[in-house]
Amino acid sequence: MKRKLFVPIIITLVTILVVGVAFYGVQRYVADRNFDTIDHALKSVIDLQASAVYNGYFAWTGLYDLIMEGKLAEANELAQDAKESFPLIDSLEIGQGIPPEENFVITLDGELLRIEYPIRNDDETKTAPNTFAVTVIQAQNLLDIVSPHEFRIDTVHGRKTIYGIPVSPSVPFFSLWNIAFMALLTSLIVWFILQHYFRKSDFFLDTRGLESIIYLFEQTEKVSASHSRNVAIFALFVGKKLGFKGKRLKNLYVAALLHDIGKIGVSTSIVTKTGKLDSKEFAQMKQHPVISARILRSFKEFEHLSNIVLHHHEREDGSGYPDGLKGKEIPLESKIIAVVDVFEALVGERPYRNPIHPSSAFEKMKQMPLDQRIVNVLIEHYGELGTFKPPRWVLSYSPWMFAS
Ligand SMILES: [Fe+2]
């Protein structure tokens, strides 16, 4: 139980970290690109504005003359026209002080952009002494022109752009929407991973669990050692020759591995009896496919294989058990297991008799009510069995397949 919780928690934490870092990286990259863009755009807008104001008003002989005549109030009033032509300008004043040498000088005062100008005549040959003009513009208004709603002036955490204007993205990296999106993405990823993980671990555990049962079952000597494993590998071999692939092949293999598990529910004296069974004993023995099917039905991973094991003793002519099915009524997988089960029983080592040669086994099998098409496949390809390489997944949980 602890392990079941531990793994999902680790998977969730790692996913949150990966999604968070990835999301932050993308946001950061986009923000950097936006930042470069607005940095350039701001410079253009501010310089253009300052230059236009200078050339339109403060490099104007009319204003220069008023200043020189000492009519500061009149000059100020005249200059206010600039506010109408340049609506971004918040305030405009002409005051006393040292005029800048350049056409304009831009400084930042908190969130306000201060642009100072000298006052000159039209051909810029004379500068009014001890006088300068200053316009104040709210930096946010400029920002709104170059990048509406994307950035805001942030004097505390902002990144400095041109003229030291500090800006931050209007939407924080981890906004509510972003967090909701990341939570959704994380949930989806975790869900997919856990689905896969639990399916895999269920399969692994069920397989291991059942394999352990087989091992214990073999220790009870109710089947010859490794009979099930040999039957399984023969079934796999024949199944492949018949064109089985992927899941169907794996199902055949697992069903063959478990086909006789029901013998666990039959009296040991009957299962291990070397002589002929009497009718009562045989009736009991005939129950083992039914018990095998019942056991498989109790494992959700193997439920779908129960019908295959149920019919592994059916015969083509209806002489088999438990249901006396005939020909096409018998599942193909059950027929394959029936053939290789008989073959293994004939050629395998048993304490009470010597194994017979495969060629003799084949002769016997040709006379039996088995599916002869399958028998022929086995006969035809038997020579390849020694070099047959089972898939990786077979070896992973049956390493001692050919041990005996
Ligand atoms: Fe059987």
Side-chain angles (χ1 to χ4, degrees):
M1 190 60 199
K2 265 188 180 172
R3 186 174 170 268
K4 278 203 164 186
L5 268 179
F6 179 74
V7 173
I9 288 170
I10 292 296
I11 289 173
T12 307
L13 289 178
V14 169
T15 309
I16 288 171
L17 192 71
V18 170
V19 169
V21 167
F23 201 78
Y24 180 80
V26 170
Q27 291 271 68
R28 184 88 219 180
Y29 174 75
V30 172
D32 280 353
R33 303 237 359 211
N34 286 346
F35 182 85
D36 289 347
T37 307
I38 65 150
D39 191 41
H40 283 104
L42 265 181
K43 183 169 172 32
S44 304
V45 165
I46 295 168
D47 288 356
L48 199 69
Q49 177 99 10
S51 174
V53 170
Y54 169 73
N55 287 304
Y57 290 85
F58 303 123
W60 176 32
T61 305
L63 191 67
Y64 171 80
D65 287 346
L66 280 176
I67 302 278
M68 293 311 286
E69 288 162 21
K71 297 174 180 168
L72 204 60
E74 256 179 77
N76 232 324
E77 207 175 307
L78 196 63
Q80 297 306 316
D81 278 358
K83 281 176 71 181
E84 280 176 31
S85 306
F86 297 92
L88 286 174
I89 293 177
D90 248 26
S91 69
L92 187 157
E93 267 180 57
I94 294 174
Q96 307 253 288
I98 302 163
E101 285 176 18
E102 295 88 5
N103 293 348
F104 51 85
V105 170
I106 300 170
T107 51
L108 188 74
D109 181 9
E111 297 190 7
L112 302 173
L113 206 61
R114 251 177 89 86
I115 310 174
E116 291 181 16
Y117 310 85
I119 296 167
R120 294 179 176 140
N121 61 348
D122 284 341
D123 51 14
E124 297 176 78
T125 50
K126 295 173 188 165
T127 303
N130 202 31
T131 307
F132 69 94
V134 58
T135 59
V136 174
I137 299 175
Q138 290 198 31
Q140 183 66 55
N141 291 341
L142 290 165
L143 203 56
D144 287 344
I145 288 176
V146 299
S147 165
H149 314 304
E150 280 184 43
F151 286 90
R152 62 188 167 83
I153 302 294
D154 179 359
T155 49
V156 182
H157 303 293
R159 193 170 159 193
K160 285 185 177 164
T161 58
I162 188 74
Y163 302 123
I165 300 172
V167 301
S168 285
S170 299
V171 180
F173 278 170
F174 293 101
S175 71
L176 207 62
W177 278 112
N178 286 350
I179 290 170
F181 174 76
M182 281 191 290
L184 185 71
L185 190 66
T186 304
S187 310
L188 279 173
I189 293 171
V190 169
W191 185 76
F192 273 115
I193 294 173
L194 291 184
Q195 280 269 321
H196 185 70
Y197 171 78
F198 279 118
R199 212 174 49 211
K200 241 178 120 176
S201 69
D202 279 356
F203 182 78
F204 178 82
L205 292 173
D206 283 357
T207 308
R208 278 281 173 204
L210 275 176
E211 205 181 352
S212 304
I213 293 171
I214 289 176
Y215 178 75
L216 291 172
F217 173 46
E218 285 174 352
Q219 303 313 301
T220 67
E221 295 180 4
K222 286 197 177 185
V223 291
S224 67
S226 76
H227 165 75
S228 298
R229 284 179 242 278
N230 288 343
V231 166
I233 204 78
F234 292 161
L236 184 66
F237 176 73
V238 172
K240 271 197 116 171
K241 294 297 169 197
L242 284 169
F244 279 39
K245 281 180 188 142
K247 212 165 181 141
R248 195 175 184 197
L249 192 64
K250 199 177 252 186
N251 283 341
L252 173 66
Y253 171 77
V254 178
L257 197 61
L258 304 170
H259 73 286
D260 267 348
I261 194 80
K263 283 186 181 170
I264 212 161
V266 179
S267 162
T268 308
S269 60
I270 296 171
V271 175
T272 56
K273 188 173 176 181
T274 51
K276 208 170 165 33
L277 299 175
D278 66 32
S279 60
K280 220 175 155 188
E281 290 168 334
F282 192 51
Q284 242 206 76
M285 189 62 174
K286 276 156 72 169
Q287 282 304 302
H288 86 267
V290 178
I291 302 168
S292 291
R294 202 182 300 145
I295 291 172
L296 258 61
R297 270 200 295 275
S298 64
F299 289 83
K300 73 175 180 349
E301 286 288 334
F302 300 112
E303 221 180 336
H304 60 294
L305 305 178
S306 61
N307 203 44
I308 300 175
V309 300
L310 179 65
H311 297 300
H312 80 269
H313 278 287
E314 303 287 1
R315 293 293 180 256
E316 292 299 300
D317 57 0
S319 62
Y321 60 87
D323 294 332
L325 299 185
K326 283 183 187 175
K328 284 184 177 170
E329 296 168 345
I330 309 166
L332 181 56
E333 284 84 348
S334 308
K335 292 178 180 208
I336 295 170
I337 295 172
V339 168
V340 296
D341 191 22
V342 168
F343 178 67
E344 208 285 330
L346 291 171
V347 302
E349 295 274 355
R350 294 293 184 274
Y352 47 87
R353 60 147 178 80
N354 288 327
I356 67 167
H357 193 270
S359 57
S360 309
F362 292 145
E363 287 313 310
K364 276 180 187 288
M365 288 165 75
K366 281 180 190 171
Q367 310 306 316
M368 294 180 183
L370 296 162
D371 186 324
Q372 291 303 314
R373 190 171 68 102
I374 300 169
V375 173
N376 283 334
V377 167
L378 181 61
I379 294 171
E380 201 181 316
H381 298 284
Y382 180 71
E384 302 161 34
L385 191 59
T387 55
F388 173 60
K389 280 210 171 97
R392 236 165 216 273
W393 45 260
V394 167
L395 295 173
S396 71
Y397 52 87
S398 296
W400 57 96
M401 187 74 65
F402 285 119
S404 57

